[in-house]
Amino acid sequence: MTITTDMRNDIIEQLKACEFRALCDKYFGNDFLWTIRGSSELSGTYTDIDDFFDNIIARLNALLLPGWKMHILDTFVDGDTMIVEMKGEVTAKSGNDYNNEYCWIFKFGDGVLKSITAYYDSLLVNKTLAENE
């Protein structure tokens, strides 16, 4: 499956708005695979969408003040692969900035999103978890 310009733009808009669940609901097929690389407490491979959002995204959102923004720094599309480099902007409940940097790799196939592999600053995640939980 080739990623179209419309798909790319739609994904970028959902990322900028931090609409991660809507993005997954729209593009993932029956199988869900989201891998967080690194050595943070949240790193691992997730195959259940509800488990991922209940235990990862909800956990992060509980530590952050409203207004999480994602700034798109760069994108790359080649056939069925899209790579997005982003920088988040939000304040944690502790008052410290949680401005993590991300690189997400989207893999499509058979007309649906097959997987997302996410890279980020694991130390910042662990520090934010420790300061706010």
Side-chain angles (χ1 to χ4, degrees), residues 108-125:
F108 286 81
D110 302 323
V112 296
L113 181 58
K114 293 294 202 179
S115 68
I116 297 175
T117 302
Y119 295 85
Y120 62 24
D121 182 345
S122 293
L123 291 175
L124 180 58
V125 170

Side-chain angles (χ1 to χ4, degrees), residues 7 9 13-14 28 30 38 44 46-47 50 60 90 95 107 125:
M7 286 174 63
N9 292 342
E13 289 306 312
Q14 290 186 39
F28 266 105
N30 293 331
Y46 301 88
T47 58
D50 292 324
L60 279 174
V90 67
K107 294 279 191 172
V125 170

Side-chain angles (χ1 to χ4, degrees), residues 28-41:
F28 266 105
N30 293 331
D31 297 323
F32 179 83
L33 182 63
W34 191 312
T35 302
I36 300 174
R37 299 285 188 209
S39 57
S40 81
E41 290 182 40

Side-chain angles (χ1 to χ4, degrees), residues 29-98:
N30 293 331
D31 297 323
F32 179 83
L33 182 63
W34 191 312
T35 302
I36 300 174
R37 299 285 188 209
S39 57
S40 81
E41 290 182 40
L42 305 181
S43 295
T45 298
Y46 301 88
T47 58
D48 181 272
I49 194 166
D50 292 324
D51 177 51
F52 178 79
F53 280 92
D54 290 346
N55 295 301
I56 303 304
I57 300 299
R59 186 174 176 192
L60 279 174
N61 282 338
L63 307 178
L64 306 174
L65 297 175
W68 195 358
K69 297 176 190 170
M70 199 66 72
H71 302 281
I72 307 301
L73 303 177
D74 201 2
T75 61
F76 174 80
V77 176
D78 185 20
D80 63 357
T81 301
M82 178 173 167
I83 302 170
V84 182
E85 183 183 5
M86 305 171 284
K87 182 168 184 168
E89 179 184 354
V90 67
T91 303
K93 289 183 177 177
S94 66
N96 294 324
D97 289 337
Y98 179 74

